[in-house]
Amino acid sequence: MKISVFNGSPSGKNSATNVIVSSFLKGAQSEGADVNNIFLCEKHIEHCKGCFACWFRTPGNCVCQDDMTELLHLYNTSDIVCFATPVFTRNYMAYLKNFVDRLAPLKSPLITEQSGNYDLADTKPRTQRFMVIANCGFPGENNFEVMKASFACCEPFLEIYRNCGKLLKATREDIKPVIDKYLSAVEQTGREAVTGDVSKETRAKLDMPLMSVMDYVKYIGMG
């Protein structure tokens, strides 16, 4: 099984998002998965020009010759594709949005409809399963609502949304045990994603509180 994570954090390897991703991939790799952790901020990906040449003039091929050619191949040959990002202004980051925009060559100019929802037809049937990993420096689940709506179209089998995300890189001794417990659950999720479906028990652990809202607001100095 091949798992590829496309991480849109501008902090790349040093991001809190990558703390979650690394634990997930560690679990997946322990079960024999071939894992790829892609930091989009390190890639040269031009913005989509909106010319639609990839649909009409050169079907399936973009006019932009950059790192996206390699990433499209990786995307297409993966069994699980993970979109990973921090949440800024209630949505995913520009690096990931740019990447998603450049997936346009995988679509064709044919309108499809299902239950009153309209989309473009895929050029070939999708074989991947999709998942989302996101963290937010704010408390509360409301900050993920826009992201959930954005990625609903790919019907993710797994969504890991972590609020109070600034705690993921905390070094305080009183905080570290609960973070280790959470990341252990994320690692278990990676193992289960490879060997079968992620259990309800494991999914529940992904939503565990890391700290009370009042204490967290004080911790980040915004209360």
Side-chain angles (χ1 to χ4, degrees):
M1 174 181 286
K2 181 191 288 188
I3 301 176
S4 296
V5 178
F6 298 95
N7 188 338
S9 174
S11 299
K13 293 182 177 70
N14 298 317
S15 65
T17 302
N18 190 45
V19 173
I20 308 174
V21 169
S22 295
S23 291
F24 177 84
L25 293 182
K26 180 181 178 181
Q29 199 167 26
S30 72
E31 293 293 340
D34 174 16
V35 303
N36 301 280
N37 196 1
I38 308 301
F39 301 102
L40 297 175
C41 65
E42 298 176 358
K43 301 296 182 179
H44 173 56
I45 305 175
E46 296 182 28
H47 293 286
C48 176
K49 300 181 183 301
C51 64
F52 305 115
C54 62
W55 293 354
F56 300 107
R57 296 207 315 268
T58 56
N61 294 305
C62 183
V63 297
C64 300
Q65 297 300 303
D66 53 22
D67 290 340
M68 197 63 194
T69 302
E70 170 196 350
L71 298 181
L72 274 174
H73 176 73
L74 186 59
Y75 178 96
N76 281 325
T77 56
S78 295
D79 299 293
I80 294 177
V81 168
C82 175
F83 300 107
T85 179
V87 172
F88 281 29
T89 58
R90 301 185 187 276
N91 210 341
Y92 55 102
M93 289 294 296
Y95 283 109
L96 182 56
K97 180 63 167 65
N98 191 38
F99 172 79
V100 171
D101 287 346
R102 288 290 304 279
L103 297 177
L106 304 181
K107 292 290 187 177
S108 61
L110 297 172
I111 299 292
T112 63
E113 183 270 339
Q114 185 175 3
S115 302
N117 297 313
Y118 294 87
D119 198 355
L120 293 172
D122 296 317
T123 55
K124 59 181 66 174
R126 290 185 294 186
T127 58
Q128 312 98 320
R129 292 196 298 162
F130 296 91
M131 60 174 290
V132 179
I133 292 177
N135 91 92
C136 182
F138 276 58
E141 293 300 308
N142 60 302
N143 295 286
F144 300 109
E145 294 306 313
V146 174
M147 274 197 59
K148 289 178 181 179
S150 296
F151 286 110
C153 60
C154 66
E155 300 178 336
F157 78 97
L158 177 65
E159 296 170 276
I160 301 177
Y161 296 117
R162 180 69 269 166
N163 58 28
C164 301
K166 288 186 178 293
L167 294 173
L168 293 169
K169 299 176 70 177
T171 57
R172 267 176 37 183
E173 289 302 317
D174 61 322
I175 297 175
K176 195 171 184 301
V178 71
I179 300 304
D180 289 344
K181 182 179 179 181
Y182 169 72
L183 294 178
S184 178
V186 175
E187 188 174 333
Q188 177 63 22
T189 302
R191 287 192 288 269
E192 293 182 15
V194 173
T195 59
D197 195 18
V198 181
S199 69
K200 290 182 179 179
E201 292 77 14
T202 300
R203 290 174 186 265
K205 291 177 183 177
L206 296 176
D207 295 326
M208 64 180 288
L210 303 181
M211 183 181 283
S212 73
V213 172
M214 184 177 297
D215 287 342
Y216 181 70
V217 171
K218 290 179 180 178
Y219 172 79
I220 61 177
M222 299 181 73

